[in-house]
Amino acid sequence: MRISRRLAVTASAAVFVLMAGVAMAEGEKVVIGTEGAYPPFNNLESDGTLTGFDIDIAKALCEEMKAECTFVTQDWDGIIPALIAKKFDAIVASMSITEERKQQVDFTNKYYNTPPAIVVPKDSPITEATAAALSGKALGAQGSTTHSNYAEAHMKESEVKLYPTADEYKLDLANGRIDAAIDDVVVLSEWLKTEDGACCKLLGTLPIDPVINGEGAGIAIRKGDDALREKLNKAIEAIRANGKYKQINEKYFPFDVYGS
């Protein structure tokens, strides 16, 4: 959850416009920042289309708020500074709600919550998703995420290697340059279903650390933007109640991603 250097197609500050119905053309304008490199939650396709759970949820919230929304892609490690600099109004990018981030931005209520997990090559001798089993091993993680923080806090005997994007640690894992990787269990599970992920297997999930992993993924907004936060919270409640959230959930996952 979820970066500095990216492929050229994602490095551009491309803007994607969502018109959620004719009535929204005269509504409030909201610019949403996302990473576009974290499937299945958000991804920038080769044709320039933004897809994923985060994107569909954001569109549903905009429709519920009767707002006219645009989407801007932004490298992960600069996404909070870009929000503060008013490049966009909100971040919908699987960002975990943590106390550290709350020092810089405000958050809505969560819109999903899933645990971290470990993946290894299929022929790996590592048999457990534990700090002891990963001791002395090279463990990859996307930098500036709760997962990299988790690895550095709980896998102190591992060699934690940080990457600008999830795609880069996946490539190193597939090519044997690292022994294991940590990320969201859904992100890893979806990757393992692909041709690129055929190299590897899910070793297991990890216990959630409330301090590091926070309360789940929320929408980040600038400090003091209480009006937008209230509107987004009401919209989250509404799509949970009217079945739209369930519809989007079932498009991507065979289980309730919202969590307990």
Side-chain angles (χ1 to χ4, degrees):
M1 292 169 184
R2 66 187 181 205
I3 309 304
S4 55
R5 296 174 296 277
R6 300 167 62 183
L7 298 174
V9 68
T10 60
S12 64
V15 177
F16 302 81
V17 179
L18 162 68
M19 297 294 293
V22 176
M24 293 172 59
E26 298 179 359
E28 181 180 3
K29 298 180 186 298
V30 179
V31 183
I32 296 172
T34 194
E35 183 188 4
Y38 198 61
F41 292 102
N42 60 80
N43 196 48
L44 185 60
E45 305 294 342
S46 59
D47 65 357
T49 304
L50 272 171
T51 62
F53 179 79
D54 288 334
I55 308 306
D56 286 358
I57 289 292
K59 289 178 178 179
L61 297 177
C62 289
E63 184 173 5
E64 184 65 34
M65 296 188 298
K66 293 183 171 53
E68 178 185 330
C69 295
T70 57
F71 289 80
V72 178
T73 55
Q74 170 68 50
D75 290 350
W76 180 258
D77 60 358
I79 204 165
I80 287 180
L83 173 66
I84 294 170
K86 300 185 178 180
K87 183 175 179 180
F88 33 79
D89 304 304
I91 298 171
V92 185
S94 293
M95 180 171 285
S96 296
I97 305 166
T98 66
E99 291 303 319
E100 181 180 3
R101 288 175 178 150
K102 284 180 181 178
Q103 302 304 309
Q104 303 179 74
V105 297
D106 288 339
F107 282 97
T108 65
N109 298 332
K110 72 167 186 177
Y111 64 96
Y112 83 84
N113 192 14
T114 51
I118 298 290
V119 288
V120 295
K122 285 182 176 177
D123 60 357
S124 173
I126 305 171
T127 59
E128 297 179 343
T130 63
L134 291 164
S135 177
K137 306 298 183 182
L139 176 63
Q142 184 177 10
S144 301
T145 65
T146 55
H147 305 299
S148 61
N149 293 342
Y150 191 105
E152 291 173 331
H154 294 285
M155 311 294 180
K156 294 183 182 295
E157 301 304 317
S158 298
E159 178 192 355
V160 179
K161 298 186 67 176
L162 304 183
Y163 295 82
T165 68
D167 287 341
E168 290 170 86
Y169 79 63
K170 291 171 183 175
L171 184 62
D172 269 9
L173 184 63
N175 289 309
R177 290 189 282 268
I178 55 176
D179 302 300
I182 180 173
D183 209 325
D184 183 275
V185 64
V186 173
V187 170
L188 295 176
S189 297
E190 291 300 308
W191 175 60
L192 294 176
K193 296 176 185 177
T194 68
E195 184 177 346
D196 289 341
C199 60
C200 303
K201 64 183 179 181
L202 188 72
L203 194 61
T205 58
L206 297 163
I208 289 178
D209 181 329
V211 175
I212 295 174
N213 299 117
E215 307 160 28
I219 300 171
I221 56 174
R222 281 185 291 278
K223 281 281 188 183
D225 197 348
D226 298 332
L228 180 57
R229 178 171 59 182
E230 183 177 351
K231 289 177 183 178
L232 287 165
N233 277 335
K234 287 182 178 178
I236 292 170
E237 291 177 9
I239 66 170
R240 288 281 296 165
N242 66 20
K244 185 63 178 178
Y245 185 99
K246 185 174 185 291
Q247 180 183 341
I248 296 170
N249 190 128
E250 291 177 349
K251 175 181 175 180
Y252 293 96
F253 314 115
F255 57 91
D256 183 5
V257 76
Y258 187 77
S260 57

